[in-house]
Amino acid sequence: MNRTRRLAALTLLIAPALALGPAVAAAPAAAKCNVEVDSAGKYHLWGEGFPANTTVTYSGSTSGSVPINKSGRFDLGGLTGAKYTVKTADGKTTVTCASVHY
C-alpha cells in the first residue's frame, strides 16, 4: 500500500476519535460527597463533581451553604453529625453524602 493510501486509511480511523475526544473529556463528573470523622471527633464534609463557581446547600445535623471552587469541589470541617445531604442552588442535583471510615 503506498503512502497516500495509508494516510487516507489512517485519517478515516483517527478522525472520529478526534471528533469525540473533546466532548468525552468535557463530560462532567458525577457529583458526590463524603463525611469523615477528624482526629478531634468533629465531622469533615467534602464533595466533588458539582458545577464550578456556584454554591451548594448542605443539611443534616447542621445546615448552611458553601461555595464550589473552579474545580467543582468543596470542603467543610468542624461539623457535628455524620449524615448530610448536599443540593445545588438550581435544585437539579441532590446527593446524600456517604460516611467514610478508615
Side-chain angles (χ1 to χ4, degrees), residues 31-37 43-48 50 74-76 79 81-84 86 95-102:
K32 69 175 186 175
C33 62
N34 294 300
V35 181
E36 303 170 339
V37 179
Y43 292 88
H44 177 152
L45 177 64
W46 62 273
E48 61 188 5
F50 291 91
F74 72 89
D75 197 332
L76 190 61
L79 301 172
K83 295 186 181 204
Y84 287 92
V86 175
V95 180
T96 300
C97 304
S99 185
V100 178
H101 301 281
Y102 295 103

Side-chain angles (χ1 to χ4, degrees), residues 1 4-21:
M1 189 182 285
T4 304
R5 287 185 182 168
R6 281 185 288 183
L7 287 174
L10 186 59
T11 302
L12 290 174
L13 293 173
I14 293 176
L18 292 175
L20 292 176

